[in-house]
Amino acid sequence: MSPTRRTNGAATSKSSTRQAPSAPNKTSSSSRSFNLATLFSPAEILLLLTYPALLLLGSLFSLLDPSARNAPYSALSQSHPPESAPNYFALKRNVFNQWFVKVGWFWFTVAWLLWVGIGVGMVPKKAKSSSQGARMVEICDDDEEEKTGAGIVGGEGLVLTPQRVRSAVRWAVLTICWMLVTQWCFGPALIDRGFRLTGGACELIRDDAARAEMGEVKEFVTAATCKFAGGEWKGGHDISGHVFILVLGSAAVGMEVLGALVNRGSEGEDGEEGLGKWGWGVVMGVVGMSWWMLLMTAAYFHTWFEKFTGLFTAFLGIAIVYLLPRLSLGAREVLGIPGQ
């Protein structure tokens, strides 16, 4: 009997020895989780690659197209003079630039509101109507399921779900990024601060006496106030605000939509039709117009480096909101991931 026990003990020892190497697999899988391909879906990666591709294509077009290549370019205004602009989109005052790009965050917010209100991935996973028309909603979270008939915040069918709350938090963070970079950062925006730090300043050209009297306290510290006073904003590096806002806004809307479609499917459950044709038209129209205007910006405005820094700054904002939650559990609990 004792030899048998030894054999069984040996077998047990061998089996435990065979199971020991399983620990390194966890480490290797953990290291693989930082691979971009494992963090984003192929559709999301394709979306993000669209932006450097559009900037490269537009910049190459400006070099290859004879009308754009031979047209005079003003480094001061970062555009072609109006009288020699190659085409309508090379004019700063074209209607799309004035009413879409200049107020771009408004249009991106409209598209986001449509999506967060009735888009796929924002509705409860199961929704059924009783004979009286009341909805019983099942809100599914990571660890628990809760059925409730309350929580309607905007009329029948608009229910406050965890997906909507986290999407609102993500959009609030993106809006803060947009504001800090382009509007206000405890004084001048980051774009204006960067211009000053790289040697830029407001050079008053209308009045020599006014220029002489302009002291440190009175010095204009933003491009808008400088131009309003009749000066020239020159001498420093100007991050392309157009590239920044077009990339940040349209990429954020695209990440919200694609994330939900990948995780939830193209249509909601139990007959939920999602946005409908008109809603999809608005969302896709905003994203499509952003891509077109980004291509026009790349072709007719700013230098290569100014466009690159605009893209880089926008991608930093995207990384904070959409990459960080995939790397940090704490950030995921606050920001969430689209469609989850």
Side-chain angles (χ1 to χ4, degrees), residues 54-94:
L54 285 172
L55 288 177
L56 179 62
L57 181 62
S59 298
L60 290 176
F61 176 81
S62 66
L63 296 176
L64 300 176
D65 178 54
S67 62
R69 185 177 65 247
N70 298 326
Y73 181 83
S74 171
L76 184 62
S77 64
Q78 300 164 335
S79 63
H80 297 280
E83 63 275 7
S84 59
N87 62 42
Y88 179 72
F89 287 99
L91 296 170
K92 278 190 170 183
R93 295 196 173 275
N94 76 75

Side-chain angles (χ1 to χ4, degrees), residues 85-102:
N87 62 42
Y88 179 72
F89 287 99
L91 296 170
K92 278 190 170 183
R93 295 196 173 275
N94 76 75
V95 65
F96 300 100
N97 186 53
Q98 293 295 313
W99 293 100
F100 182 79
V101 181
K102 294 288 188 182

Side-chain angles (χ1 to χ4, degrees), residues 255-303:
M255 292 293 286
E256 293 289 330
V257 172
L258 288 179
L261 291 181
V262 168
N263 289 294
R264 297 289 296 272
S266 60
E267 292 185 354
E269 299 181 8
D270 296 323
E272 175 63 49
E273 296 181 356
L275 283 174
K277 291 182 179 180
W278 68 271
W280 278 112
V282 173
V283 173
M284 294 299 102
V286 169
V287 174
M289 179 57 68
S290 301
W291 289 357
W292 174 254
M293 293 308 295
L294 183 63
L295 185 65
M296 295 298 100
T297 300
Y300 301 117
F301 302 95
H302 288 283
T303 65

